[in-house]
Amino acid sequence: MEIGIDSFIATGAYEGALSPAKNVEAIEALLTKIEFADQMGLHVFGLGEHHRKEFLDESPAVILSAAAARTKNIRLTSAVTVLSAADPVRVFQEYATLDLISKGRAEIVAGRGSFIDAFPLFGFDTQDYDVLFDEKIRLLLEIRNNEIVSWKGNFRPELKQQAIYPRPLQEQLPVWIGVGGTPQSFVRAGLLGLPLMVAVIGGETHRFRPLIDLYYEAGEKAGHPRENLKVGLHSLGFVSETGTRAKDVYFPGYQEMMGKIGKERGWSTPTRDMFEAQAGKTGAYVIGSPEEVAEKILRHSEALGGISRFTFQMDNPGLSKEDIFRSIELIGTRVIPLINQ
């Protein structure tokens, strides 16, 4: 199983003015984190895409390219590319370029996005939320599979025998579909024969099994071999020397972060009891000692019918650099060996 980290580069600027100097520090901290994850043997690092002042991931391919120049082995992916509001031609060009810079380590996780900020910014209607993604993922795959493309759709100018460059180093640039809890998204990934990245940020992870079964069923009905269909899992997570310390260190920043997002989305600020339930045996959060975390990832994998990748969402305003780097070290030196022994 591949183990990695996803990040949104949170600035903490939910209120007040942005600080260019602090943004420089945040970008450098992220690049150093990716470099350290590579050194510790993690398999993949993903970067989200938002268009809000509290995040710095508006141009993930640019940042990942900087990371590519400082790393050797770790795979570099979006997490996710908000494809509904993007031009698939430019997305392909950016990640094909990243693939060349990284010498074959680029991937795309394409999704519709959990925030809608990109839609008004780039002139798209949220009423077209699903049809936009469906058209654009199909165009992205057409470009991936063919150097010269003829294509016509509803949301982009027609392509007539158009050559699209550059081409990536990898024979086929990996494209995953990132999903939340919408059954149609799981079915679409199966019909297209694409690997599935499931974001579970609350509730009980095993409850996603029926949706994953839908994915496999759709893929097999579409003629895709079962071995070509794979599932990844993304959840909030953190590792420390003991489970008690991991939760004590993680909770204050988690409560702050979720409380601020909750004000926007109508959620209540999470209590410690709510957090403990999510960090429990069947809850979505993967927080604990190396042994507890490895055991939980394996338990989630079994409950979902087998996963090939797990990524930690570790962004948290309450974690120090030392906390994060120690967590990455524990993932690389203790969690990964326990999972893949």
Side-chain angles (χ1 to χ4, degrees):
M1 187 189 302
E2 294 179 317
I3 305 295
I5 295 173
D6 292 330
S7 177
F8 300 153
I9 330 181
T11 65
Y14 292 91
E15 301 172 358
L18 290 169
S19 166
K22 287 186 178 180
N23 287 349
V24 169
E25 291 177 7
I27 292 286
E28 178 58 28
L30 175 82
L31 294 173
T32 303
K33 186 192 308 182
I34 300 174
E35 190 173 10
F36 186 67
D38 183 46
Q39 294 167 0
M40 289 296 102
L42 274 66
H43 304 110
V44 60
F45 200 103
L47 197 57
E49 179 191 339
H50 299 82
H51 298 272
R52 307 165 59 87
K53 92 171 173 178
E54 64 264 31
F55 299 111
L56 281 174
D57 56 357
E58 286 81 0
S59 300
V62 175
I63 299 169
L64 291 172
S65 293
R70 295 168 61 157
T71 55
K72 295 180 180 178
N73 300 306
I74 198 165
R75 297 193 68 77
L76 301 167
T77 183
S78 59
V80 301
T81 293
V82 184
L83 191 62
S84 301
D87 181 350
V89 174
R90 290 299 289 153
V91 169
F92 179 83
Q93 290 175 325
E94 288 168 356
Y95 283 87
T97 302
L98 171 62
D99 202 53
L100 297 174
I101 294 169
S102 66
K103 300 180 175 63
R105 294 184 280 129
E107 297 185 1
I108 298 170
V109 178
R112 299 183 300 176
S114 60
F115 291 92
I116 61 170
D117 308 81
F119 286 78
L121 181 62
F122 296 109
F124 294 102
D125 192 334
T126 53
Q127 301 257 344
D128 299 322
Y129 188 71
D130 189 66
V131 291
L132 271 166
F133 181 78
D134 190 70
E135 177 175 299
K136 291 186 176 188
I137 188 66
R138 293 177 188 277
L139 174 55
L140 179 63
L141 296 178
E142 183 72 17
I143 297 167
R144 180 185 72 163
N145 297 334
N146 299 282
E147 184 175 326
I148 299 175
V149 174
S150 291
W151 175 90
K152 187 175 183 180
N154 297 315
F155 299 102
R156 192 203 182 282
E158 182 178 0
L159 296 170
K160 298 180 180 179
Q161 287 293 296
Q162 182 66 55
I164 297 175
Y165 302 108
R167 309 307 296 181
L169 178 62
Q170 296 177 85
E171 183 175 348
Q172 189 174 70
L173 187 65
V175 175
W176 298 59
I177 289 190
V179 299
T182 307
Q184 183 180 353
S185 297
F186 286 78
V187 171
R188 175 164 39 223
L191 292 174
L192 295 173
L194 296 177
L196 184 72
M197 196 67 193
V198 187
V200 182
I201 57 173
E204 296 182 310
T205 299
H206 67 87
R207 295 184 182 276
F208 279 72
R209 178 62 183 267
L211 294 172
I212 289 173
D213 288 342
L214 277 178
Y215 163 69
Y216 285 127
E217 180 182 349
E220 290 172 356
K221 283 185 177 178
H224 302 293
R226 178 66 178 248
E227 58 268 21
N228 291 351
L229 302 172
K230 57 184 180 179
V231 175
L233 177 63
H234 160 101
S235 296
L236 298 181
F238 178 68
V239 187
S240 191
E241 283 76 4
T242 69
T244 299
R245 185 181 188 280
K247 289 184 280 189
D248 286 347
V249 169
Y250 192 86
F251 175 71
Y254 160 83
Q255 186 180 48
E256 175 188 344
M257 175 177 63
M258 298 304 285
K260 287 174 178 175
I261 295 174
K263 285 182 181 178
E264 180 179 328
R265 296 194 171 191
W267 305 337
S268 60
T269 299
T271 65
R272 181 64 186 247
D273 286 344
M274 294 164 63
F275 171 76
E276 290 286 348
Q278 289 295 324
K281 283 197 170 183
T282 60
Y285 303 165
V286 182
I287 299 170
S289 69
E291 293 75 20
E292 290 168 338
V293 163
E295 180 184 353
K296 191 165 189 179
I297 292 172
L298 291 172
R299 188 164 58 246
H300 282 341
S301 180
E302 182 178 2
L304 297 178
I307 63 174
S308 62
R309 176 179 289 182
F310 179 84
T311 57
F312 292 83
Q313 170 49 262
M314 210 181 294
D315 288 356
N316 181 311
L319 296 179
S320 68
K321 177 181 177 181
E322 290 73 23
D323 291 329
I324 293 171
F325 274 58
R326 180 57 176 157
S327 185
I328 293 170
E329 181 181 359
L330 290 171
I331 292 168
T333 59
R334 293 174 60 182
V335 174
I336 290 175
L338 285 169
I339 288 174
N340 291 325
Q341 61 185 353

